[in-house]
Amino acid sequence: MWAPWLTKTVGWTICKCMGEQSAAIKLLVKVLTKYKQLCNTLCHKLCHATAWLLDNTFNPPHSLLFFKWYHSSATHHCSDHLPPLCVCSS
């Protein structure tokens, strides 16, 4: 979901547990103007969502389980022309 009102971050992952676990990713339109930046940020946020949905953990946000998915996505990156993933999502 594009979030034009975000001003302090390029995006965030919202994790909920109301009956079923769910996750949503919101991204800032005004800042994510480059393809590589969008891909890097989306991969980063997907690592948070995956740690929540598959490993049932979100706190701390950059835990060992986050890095498990982070390193997996960096190793199996879908596009060879993109830079390595960055832990910071900006």
Side-chain angles (χ1 to χ4, degrees):
M1 170 186 290
W2 294 107
W5 61 87
L6 291 177
T7 58
K8 295 186 181 186
T9 182
V10 293
W12 83 80
T13 307
I14 301 166
C15 299
K16 295 181 181 179
C17 186
M18 295 182 182
E20 280 189 35
Q21 283 180 278
S22 65
I25 297 170
K26 297 190 182 226
L27 302 172
L28 179 57
V29 184
K30 295 175 184 174
V31 175
L32 293 172
T33 58
K34 296 184 174 117
Y35 175 74
K36 291 179 182 180
Q37 184 186 28
L38 171 63
C39 290
N40 196 328
T41 301
L42 186 56
C43 284
H44 179 101
K45 299 305 175 188
L46 284 169
C47 290
H48 285 299
T50 304
W52 170 245
L53 295 171
L54 298 183
D55 296 320
N56 300 314
T57 186
F58 191 73
N59 286 313
H62 295 127
S63 67
L64 291 176
L65 292 170
F66 166 85
F67 279 102
K68 173 179 84 171
W69 296 110
Y70 171 84
H71 291 300
S72 176
S73 65
T75 303
H76 300 92
H77 210 271
C78 60
S79 182
D80 293 333
H81 67 278
L82 292 176
L85 289 176
C86 176
V87 176
C88 58
S89 57
S90 58

